[in-house]
Amino acid sequence: MKTFKTVKRFNTAKRFKTVTGLASLALVASLLSGCAGTRGPGLGTTLDATTTAYALDHGYDEANPLLSPIGDPYLTALASIGLKQGVKYALHEYGGVNEACAHYGVETAGMTAGGWNLAIVAGAASGPGLIIGALFGVGYWLWVDGEEACR
């Protein structure tokens, strides 16, 4: 009579996807840090991208219609960084907004989105999640003195 040992298999494909996704996120974030003569990703972009990747990796859906078709959590997070950097550049170069104001405005929006992501992942409903996100955004705007940057 033969006995077989059960060997627990690790899901190496998922682990590889997670590691490569995080490595790609770090690489693109570092490459975008000097993108197009505008400031690199700040706290709001970082919070939004990381909470987006985490939430999507744990079964949540992307609410942004520009990013939802991507499907992969880490590529979606990378795309959100690129989108924010593109908006900063467009505001500064074509919208006539000074660089600091464009940076802090976009980072405040990112902080708001990241706060909302945190609230939703923590189990809040959409309404309270929006309020929490707004508090994150307002708190960040006041902390960095965004109004002074936009004068």
Side-chain angles (χ1 to χ4, degrees), residues 61-89:
D61 295 322
E62 175 60 54
N64 186 336
L66 295 173
L67 301 173
S68 58
I70 295 172
D72 182 77
Y74 303 101
L75 292 178
T76 303
L78 286 173
S80 75
I81 294 170
L83 182 65
K84 285 180 186 61
Q85 288 300 105
V87 169
K88 283 182 198 178
Y89 180 75

Side-chain angles (χ1 to χ4, degrees), residues 39-118:
R39 294 184 189 188
L43 290 176
T45 298
T46 304
L47 179 65
D48 185 29
T50 54
T51 56
T52 294
Y54 179 85
L56 293 176
D57 197 37
H58 286 81
Y60 292 87
D61 295 322
E62 175 60 54
N64 186 336
L66 295 173
L67 301 173
S68 58
I70 295 172
D72 182 77
Y74 303 101
L75 292 178
T76 303
L78 286 173
S80 75
I81 294 170
L83 182 65
K84 285 180 186 61
Q85 288 300 105
V87 169
K88 283 182 198 178
Y89 180 75
L91 286 171
H92 177 59
E93 293 296 322
Y94 304 112
V97 177
N98 73 50
E99 184 183 3
C101 185
H103 174 76
Y104 291 124
V106 170
E107 293 305 318
T108 298
M111 190 63 75
T112 302
W116 186 73
N117 289 346
L118 283 173

